[in-house]
């Protein structure tokens, strides 16, 4: 039975799609976004042991080349995440579909669906397929939260199975996308078109950045033209919380103004986007 | 020289005139000693093991009265010379007149009727531009004349345009009175009404949601309503009296859990049942209410639809104590053994209560009912309200709701809890409604929520304004009788420090 690295499970999440949802954050991401809020989800743990020494509560141990995490001792100080030289987390656990399914069963009456996020969940398509089949049997909906790094056209079965994809489009300009994420956006834009054609685009998100007005406008303008009234467009104001040094150097310790985001939302509406939200 | 009790009241600058009158009446009531009481009860009162909520020694009306207002709609009221109302404005005035004549333990009406049902005959006035203004004056008048947060109105379970207007006004006006509950059944209540109610609740701390599917199934003979804080009682009846078992204090008398279950607890349950019998006998046989009140004579209430209420507080502290758990972080709310024991204790109380033949309550199957009392300010941190997890030790939202859902079954005449949410939830009304639906499917009876930055906030069960508490703190008067309880609960019970649930809901 396949097991994949899970960074975190959240029983009740009001922010990962419509309604109350069970959220699954997988580990590993092909992008390296400068403004990533949870950089500890980017890489798999290399078991280097740095965090074991740093944990003030002795909640971490290294045993036969693997990190053992004792949740009962952990006080959630996040020291381990801060010291990790590898953008990872020692709390990641390998879990099977069954284990996750039983966690979902527990909270089922309270949720309308699940959302798989990350990291990048499209790295684990066969796992998601198996999970979604079981979750749909419970009468719940399945959303994918993706940065679009992997081509969805190669994952047609998964796309058909899910109820929608919430796709990040971090920048429309390819050079700027490379600067932000370390990778080209060609696949992301292709995914945008493909998901629209499949009628599976639940939401598109763009982080509105400080100091890059041109880039913000360019992205919002182009994306809103493409999606029109066929998807919700969420503009996420950059906030510095959780952002690592490199990102802070680039964007600063600031929060983007609501009024600035509103102006961009207006632009999107002018382009025919009906459902624009700011967060 | 120490001031007399009377002098203390009449010289207190923080009391309004109306509050002084009520305090003096209460003082007089507690001077009489006609009411029979068991000396063991009096001893237990002194030891803090039971509590009579200062109901007085000469009760001259039932504690909670829920008039059947449909009679006012159909026939009017001859004692008050009110004719059958012909339009919405007349009805509003008739109600305002009527409310002044509905007694209760606080002397203010604890039940104002179900506005959705009451206003239904005049639904076609909803589109009339003056209607909203009439309802605005109606609500304002209630807030400023019935100055007590236990004054409670119901709406739902169905939708009406007038209900939507009342909810809109509730949000706009930000008043502490009346308390409002939506009788909610996900299969009956239209979704847009439910979402509207969630929106208003997060902004104003009301309406709360009552599990209508559960309550209505238990009240198949006689409709129920939610009155006072969250008491589910018969319409046309109510609650005679509500003394309380303070389980933590009682548990300190037991050698161990077995001794508690088999010896100590049953003694106190018997004592409280006897006390309820005595008080009901007094209210029915000695005082004049059931003999001469127009409410009785004209059929607005019927004696047999009332019941005695067995109040319970301090479940959490009781089981923690019996299991020797000193750190609340590892106790009830975080500890299966503690929760199992709580379940057993409540089952035990339920069994004894159900085996007792109650007096003058035949329309409640001759039974008294258990009530998870919201606590009073003097409980401090000894006794958490009802079966709640102590403030500051609330588990993650899912575990919290699951635990309460299991225990709510024991309290057919009322139980409830308050959940405090941050912005991420108040922006997602759908998510909040999903949570309510899930909890009600699991058996939760009553749900209230508010956002952390509201002015109108819910203290244990009733609403007060934070700005009014500040007035009292500064030695000024507050118009609302309950502000002083809110102040006490805030200072002694940390009642406003409930955990805030954020986006990870832990
Ligand atoms: S958060 Fe990390 S460092 Fe802190 S106690 Fe838990 S495991 Fe240790
Ligand atoms: S979490 Fe990071 S620091 Fe800890 S062992 Fe893994 S790679 Fe090393």
């Amino acid at each position: 039975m396949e097991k994949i690295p899970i960074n975190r499970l959240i029983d009740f999440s009001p922010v990962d799609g419509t309604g109350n949802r069970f959220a699954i954050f997988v580990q590993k991401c092909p992008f390296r976004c400068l403004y990533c809020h949870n950089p500890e989800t980017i890489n798999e743990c290399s078991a280097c042991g740095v965090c074991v020494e740093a944990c003030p509560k002795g909640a971490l141990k290294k045993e036969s080349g693997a990190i053992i995490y004792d949740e009962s001792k952990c006080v959630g100080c996040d020291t381990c995440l801060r010291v990790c030289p590898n953008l990872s987390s020692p709390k990641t656990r390998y879990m099977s579909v069954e284990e996750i399914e039983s966690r979902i069963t527990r909270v089922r009456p309270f949720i309308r669906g699940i959302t798989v996020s990350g990291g990048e969940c499209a790295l684990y398509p066969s796992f998601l397929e198996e999970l979604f089949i079981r979750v749909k049997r419970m009468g719940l909906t399945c959303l994918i939260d993706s940065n679009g790094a992997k081509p969805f056209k190669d994952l047609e079965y998964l796309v058909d199975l899910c109820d929608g994809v919430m796709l990040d489009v971090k920048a429309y300009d390819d050079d700027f996308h490379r600067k932000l994420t370390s990778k080209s956006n060609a696949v992301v834009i292709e995914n945008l078109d493909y998901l629209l054609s499949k009628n599976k685009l639940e939401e598109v998100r763009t982080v509105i950045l400080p100091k890059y007005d041109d880039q913000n406008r360019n992205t919002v303008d182009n994306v809103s033209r493409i999606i029109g009234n066929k998807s919700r467009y969420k503009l996420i104001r950059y906030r510095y919380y959780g952002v690592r040094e490199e990102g802070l150097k680039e964007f600063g310790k600031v929060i983007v103004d609501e009024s600035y985001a509103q102006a961009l939302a207006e632009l999107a509406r002018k382009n025919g986007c009906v459902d624009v939200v700011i967060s | 020289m120490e001031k007399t009790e009377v002098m203390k009241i009449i010289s207190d600058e923080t009391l309004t005139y109306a509050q002084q009158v009520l305090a003096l009446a209460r003082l007089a009531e507690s001077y009489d000693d006609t009411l029979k009481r068991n000396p063991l009860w009096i001893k237990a009162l002194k030891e803090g093991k039971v509590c009579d909520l200062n109901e007085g020694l000469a009760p001259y009306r039932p504690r909670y009265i829920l008039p059947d207002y449909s009679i006012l709609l159909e026939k009017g009221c001859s004692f008050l010379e009110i004719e059958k109302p012909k339009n919405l404005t007349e009805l509003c005035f008739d109600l305002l007149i009527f409310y002044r004549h509905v007694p209760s333990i606080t002397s203010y009406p604890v039940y104002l009727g179900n506005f959705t049902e009451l206003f239904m005959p005049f639904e076609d006035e909803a589109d009339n531009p003056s209607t909203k203004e009439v309802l605005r004056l109606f609500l304002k008048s209630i807030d400023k004349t019935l100055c007590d947060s236990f004054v409670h109105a119901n709406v739902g379970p169905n939708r009406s345009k007038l209900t939507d207007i009342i909810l809109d006004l509730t949000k706009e006006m930000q008043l502490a009175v009346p308390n409002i509950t939506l009788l909610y059944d996900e299969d009956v209540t239209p979704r847009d009404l439910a979402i509207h109610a969630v929106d208003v609740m997060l902004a104003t701390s009301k309406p709360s949601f009552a599990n209508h599917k559960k309550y209505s199934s238990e009240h198949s003979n006689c409709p129920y309503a939610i009155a006072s804080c969250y008491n589910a009682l018969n319409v046309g009846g109510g609650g005679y009296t509500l003394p309380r078992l303070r389980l933590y204090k009682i548990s300190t008398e037991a050698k161990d859990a077995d001794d508690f279950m088999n010896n100590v607890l049953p003694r106190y349950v018997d004592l409280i049942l006897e006390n309820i019998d005595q008080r009901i006998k007094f209210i029915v046989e000695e005082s004049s209410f059931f003999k001469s009140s127009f409410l009785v004579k004209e059929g607005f209430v019927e004696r047999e639809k009332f019941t005695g209420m067995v109040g319970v507080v301090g479940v959490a502290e009781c089981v923690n104590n019996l299991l020797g758990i000193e750190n609340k972080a590892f106790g009830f709310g975080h500890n299966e053994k503690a929760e199992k024991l709580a379940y057993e204790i409540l089952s035990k109380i339920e069994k004894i209560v159900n085996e007792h033949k109650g007096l003058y309550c035949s329309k409640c199957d001759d039974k008294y009912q258990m009530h998870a009392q919201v606590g009073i300010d003097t409980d401090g941190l000894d006794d958490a309200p009802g079966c709640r997890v102590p403030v500051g030790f609330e588990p993650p939202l899912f575990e919290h709701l699951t635990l309460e859902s299991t225990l709510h079954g024991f309290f057919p005449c009322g139980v409830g809890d308050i959940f405090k949410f941050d912005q991420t939830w108040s922006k997602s009304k759908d998510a909040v409604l999903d949570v309510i639906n899930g909890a009600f499917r699991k058996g939760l009876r009553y749900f209230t929520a508010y956002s952390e930055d509201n002015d109108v906030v819910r203290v244990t069960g009733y609403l007060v304004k934070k700005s009014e508490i500040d007035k009292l703190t500064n030695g000024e008067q507050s118009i609302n009788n309950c502000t002083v309880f809110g102040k006490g609960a805030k200072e002694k019970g940390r009642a406003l420090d409930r955990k805030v649930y954020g986006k990870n809901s832990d």
Side-chain angles (χ1 to χ4, degrees):
Chain A
M1 172 47 81
E2 184 186 3
K3 289 196 173 196
I4 65 164
I6 300 292
N7 182 279
R8 174 151 208 211
L9 300 175
I10 294 181
D11 285 329
F12 286 9
S13 170
V15 292
D16 292 292
T18 316
N20 191 29
R21 312 187 74 84
F22 182 87
I24 301 158
F25 291 82
V26 306
Q27 188 73 17
K28 237 160 83 173
C29 178
F31 287 175
R32 292 280 171 286
C33 301
L34 283 172
Y35 53 60
C36 181
H37 286 275
N38 37 12
E40 73 279 5
T41 61
I42 292 178
N43 290 318
E44 270 191 277
C45 167
S46 64
C48 71
V50 170
C51 58
V52 174
E53 301 301 317
C55 172
K57 295 289 164 187
L60 303 171
K61 264 193 315 205
K62 190 166 169 175
E63 254 175 40
S64 48
I67 302 298
I68 316 280
Y69 164 58
D70 181 351
E71 194 175 345
S72 68
K73 288 189 185 155
C74 173
V75 293
C77 67
D78 287 352
T79 305
C80 49
L81 307 185
R82 275 195 302 275
V83 300
C84 175
N86 189 31
L87 303 177
S88 187
S89 158
K91 302 182 195 176
T92 299
R93 284 208 294 147
Y94 279 81
M95 295 183 82
S96 67
V97 168
E98 274 84 6
E99 286 170 282
I100 296 181
E101 185 188 14
S102 75
R103 283 284 303 265
I104 298 171
T105 307
R106 227 166 58 109
V107 299
R108 200 195 127 179
F110 296 86
I111 56 174
R112 68 174 68 181
I114 68 165
T115 299
V116 195
S117 181
E120 176 48 39
C121 63
L123 296 174
Y124 309 100
S126 59
F127 187 93
L128 295 194
E129 282 166 12
E130 179 62 29
L131 179 67
F132 285 6
I133 288 170
R134 295 181 187 220
V135 170
K136 301 225 89 170
R137 261 189 232 134
M138 296 184 206
L140 298 172
T141 59
C142 301
L143 294 178
I144 292 172
D145 179 340
S146 169
N147 61 24
K150 294 278 151 196
F152 276 109
K153 70 173 177 356
D154 299 342
L155 307 173
E156 186 161 15
Y157 181 61
L158 181 64
V159 172
D160 287 340
L161 205 53
C162 81
D163 292 274
V165 177
M166 300 188 284
L167 185 73
D168 293 347
V169 179
K170 302 184 190 267
Y172 193 73
D173 179 84
D174 195 33
D175 290 337
F176 191 58
H177 195 273
R178 284 171 201 273
K179 176 181 160 94
L180 283 180
T181 72
S182 79
K183 295 272 162 57
S184 159
N185 70 2
V187 177
V188 178
I189 304 298
E190 187 188 297
N191 276 330
L192 188 59
D193 292 330
Y194 175 73
L195 291 169
L196 271 174
S197 75
K198 298 285 287 182
N199 208 8
K200 290 283 182 174
L201 198 59
E202 168 80 10
E203 175 177 292
V204 180
R205 296 92 167 258
T206 295
V207 175
I208 305 302
L209 295 166
K211 300 197 263 187
Y212 285 96
D213 183 47
D214 287 355
Q215 294 295 351
N216 291 333
R217 279 183 187 282
N218 186 33
T219 305
V220 171
D221 189 29
N222 281 289
V223 170
S224 58
R225 277 175 211 276
I226 296 171
I227 62 178
N229 63 3
K230 293 197 262 330
S231 167
R232 184 184 319 121
Y233 194 10
K234 189 187 242 176
L235 306 183
I236 301 170
R237 293 183 292 145
Y238 167 87
R239 295 169 174 87
Y240 64 88
Y241 317 115
V243 174
R244 61 192 194 278
E245 244 352 276
E246 300 170 72
L248 291 179
K249 237 186 256 159
E250 188 66 41
F251 305 114
K253 243 185 151 176
V254 298
I255 298 173
V256 164
D257 259 12
E258 169 105 29
S259 58
Y260 176 64
Q262 282 295 356
L264 290 166
E266 238 356 89
L267 172 65
R269 287 192 192 103
K270 258 193 220 126
N271 288 338
C273 243
V274 185
D275 189 4
V276 187
V277 292
I278 291 175
S279 89
Chain B
M1 197 183 82
E2 170 107 41
K3 280 185 186 171
T4 63
E5 292 301 315
V6 171
M7 277 310 295
K8 275 185 203 159
I9 293 168
I10 65 177
S11 62
D12 187 337
E13 293 178 23
T14 66
L15 293 179
T16 64
Y17 171 72
Q19 288 159 357
Q20 287 174 322
V21 172
L22 287 173
L24 289 169
R26 192 167 281 242
L27 193 62
E29 193 183 352
S30 63
Y31 273 142
D32 197 279
D33 55 7
T34 315
L35 176 68
K36 278 210 201 72
R37 291 188 301 164
N38 187 331
L40 288 174
W41 172 261
I42 296 170
K43 177 167 177 281
L45 270 177
K46 288 198 181 120
E47 292 170 351
K49 291 173 180 159
V50 297
C51 162
D52 62 6
L53 284 175
N54 293 320
E55 277 188 8
L57 300 180
Y60 52 102
R61 64 326 205 184
R63 180 178 178 93
Y64 300 127
I65 296 171
L66 286 70
D68 181 352
Y69 292 98
S70 68
I71 295 172
L72 186 72
L73 266 182
E74 282 157 26
K75 300 199 251 185
C77 170
S78 75
F79 180 74
L80 298 173
E81 299 180 25
I82 292 174
E83 283 172 22
K84 178 181 159 80
K86 293 184 289 297
N87 54 49
L88 185 70
T89 310
E90 264 187 44
L91 174 59
C92 287
F93 273 92
D94 294 345
L95 287 169
L96 290 172
I97 294 167
F98 197 95
Y99 292 153
R100 296 299 301 256
H101 300 276
V102 181
S104 80
I105 188 69
T106 63
S107 289
Y108 289 104
V110 293
Y111 178 59
L112 303 182
N114 182 317
F115 288 162
T116 303
E117 282 173 15
L118 273 175
F119 293 155
M120 198 53 100
F122 309 115
E123 175 73 357
D124 55 2
E125 290 184 49
D127 299 325
N128 186 334
S130 64
T131 295
K132 188 168 180 184
E133 292 319 301
V134 170
L135 290 174
R136 186 192 302 279
L137 291 171
F138 176 66
L139 292 175
K140 174 137 192 185
S141 181
I142 290 171
D143 183 61
K144 295 293 180 269
T145 61
L146 310 175
C147 314
D148 187 286
S149 298
F150 296 108
V151 170
H152 203 136
N154 293 184
V155 292
N158 298 305
R159 187 177 187 187
S160 70
K161 288 185 193 168
L162 290 170
T163 306
D164 281 319
I165 295 177
I166 288 168
L167 290 178
D168 286 340
L169 285 166
T170 301
K171 188 173 174 183
E172 265 174 63
M173 296 170 76
Q174 297 283 324
L175 304 172
V177 185
N179 205 337
I180 303 177
T181 293
L182 171 70
L183 309 184
Y184 173 68
D185 177 343
E186 63 173 317
D187 297 324
V188 175
T189 309
R191 193 177 168 80
D192 41 7
L193 174 62
I195 292 286
H196 190 183
V198 168
D199 177 54
V200 177
M201 171 175 73
L202 290 167
T204 326
S205 307
K206 62 184 173 178
S208 305
F209 283 65
N211 189 340
H212 186 60
K213 203 187 278 300
K214 188 168 184 75
Y215 276 127
S216 57
S217 74
E218 293 167 347
H219 286 261
S220 46
N221 305 327
C222 177
Y224 78 100
I226 303 293
S228 191
C229 50
Y230 46 55
N231 309 347
L233 295 161
N234 285 335
V235 172
Y240 286 114
T241 177
L242 170 59
R244 310 186 304 159
L245 295 167
R246 297 184 73 202
L247 292 180
Y248 167 69
K249 266 281 158 61
I250 295 176
S251 76
T252 58
E253 192 179 318
K255 287 201 296 287
D256 52 31
D258 270 353
D259 185 37
F260 179 79
M261 289 288 264
N262 300 320
N263 303 315
V264 180
L265 178 66
R267 269 206 325 271
Y268 285 96
V269 181
D270 286 342
L271 261 187
I272 203 171
L273 290 169
E274 180 195 43
N275 179 257
I276 292 174
D277 283 347
Q278 289 165 334
R279 292 189 70 88
I280 293 178
K281 240 172 124 50
F282 187 96
I283 295 167
V284 171
E285 295 171 9
E286 306 295 332
S287 81
S288 67
F289 180 82
F290 283 105
K291 297 169 187 156
S292 59
S293 165
F294 78 96
L295 292 169
V296 177
K297 285 185 167 167
E298 296 190 38
F300 291 101
V301 296
E302 190 187 321
R303 188 184 67 206
E304 298 296 319
K305 288 184 183 167
F306 285 79
T307 189
M309 302 167 73
V310 181
V312 173
V313 291
V315 171
E317 291 78 2
C318 166
V319 296
N320 286 350
N321 177 44
L322 291 172
L323 294 173
I325 300 167
E326 279 171 19
N327 184 347
K328 289 181 184 182
F330 301 110
F332 180 79
H334 307 268
N335 182 318
E336 261 177 53
K337 251 175 135 178
E339 287 142 26
K340 191 165 157 274
L341 182 58
Y343 192 91
E344 288 165 5
I345 289 171
L346 292 171
S347 306
K348 181 87 181 194
I349 302 174
E350 182 185 53
K351 181 161 178 282
I352 303 174
V353 170
N354 283 343
E355 282 168 358
H356 179 83
K357 187 173 185 310
L359 296 178
Y360 300 115
C361 55
S362 62
K363 298 238 163 126
C364 298
D365 298 329
D366 295 315
K367 281 180 188 151
Y368 301 152
Q369 292 186 340
M370 282 161 73
H371 173 77
Q373 205 271 335
V374 289
I376 51 175
D377 53 351
T378 48
D379 287 340
L381 295 172
D382 272 0
D383 289 289
C387 56
R388 285 187 196 165
V389 178
V391 172
F393 299 94
E394 296 88 346
L397 189 54
F398 166 70
E399 279 84 6
H400 198 172
L401 287 165
T402 306
L403 169 61
E404 297 214 351
S405 302
T406 320
L407 301 180
H408 274 198
F410 290 109
F411 299 101
C413 81
V415 57
D417 206 349
I418 306 160
F419 298 87
K420 200 167 159 186
F421 287 109
D422 80 354
Q423 280 240 339
T424 52
W425 284 89
S426 39
K427 280 187 175 165
S428 179
K429 292 156 197 89
D430 279 294
V432 175
L433 189 59
D434 287 351
V435 168
I436 296 172
N437 285 338
F440 281 9
R441 287 174 202 149
K442 288 274 209 172
L444 196 89
R445 286 182 185 272
Y446 198 78
F447 180 97
T448 308
Y450 66 96
S451 310
E452 51 180 336
D453 27 344
N454 290 5
D455 183 28
V456 179
V457 291
R458 197 167 280 273
V459 183
T460 70
Y462 48 93
L463 299 164
V464 296
K465 289 187 153 206
K466 285 193 246 173
S467 48
E468 289 284 310
I469 293 184
D470 293 342
K471 280 191 193 167
L472 279 187
T473 309
N474 297 330
E476 296 167 41
Q477 296 178 351
S478 169
I479 184 168
N480 190 308
N481 284 352
C482 295
T483 310
V484 63
F485 305 145
K487 179 171 179 282
K490 174 186 163 182
E491 288 162 3
K492 298 182 198 131
R494 297 180 50 212
L496 298 185
D497 299 337
R498 295 298 302 260
K499 167 157 153 180
V500 180
Y501 286 108
K503 74 175 174 171
N504 295 336
S505 63
D506 55 1

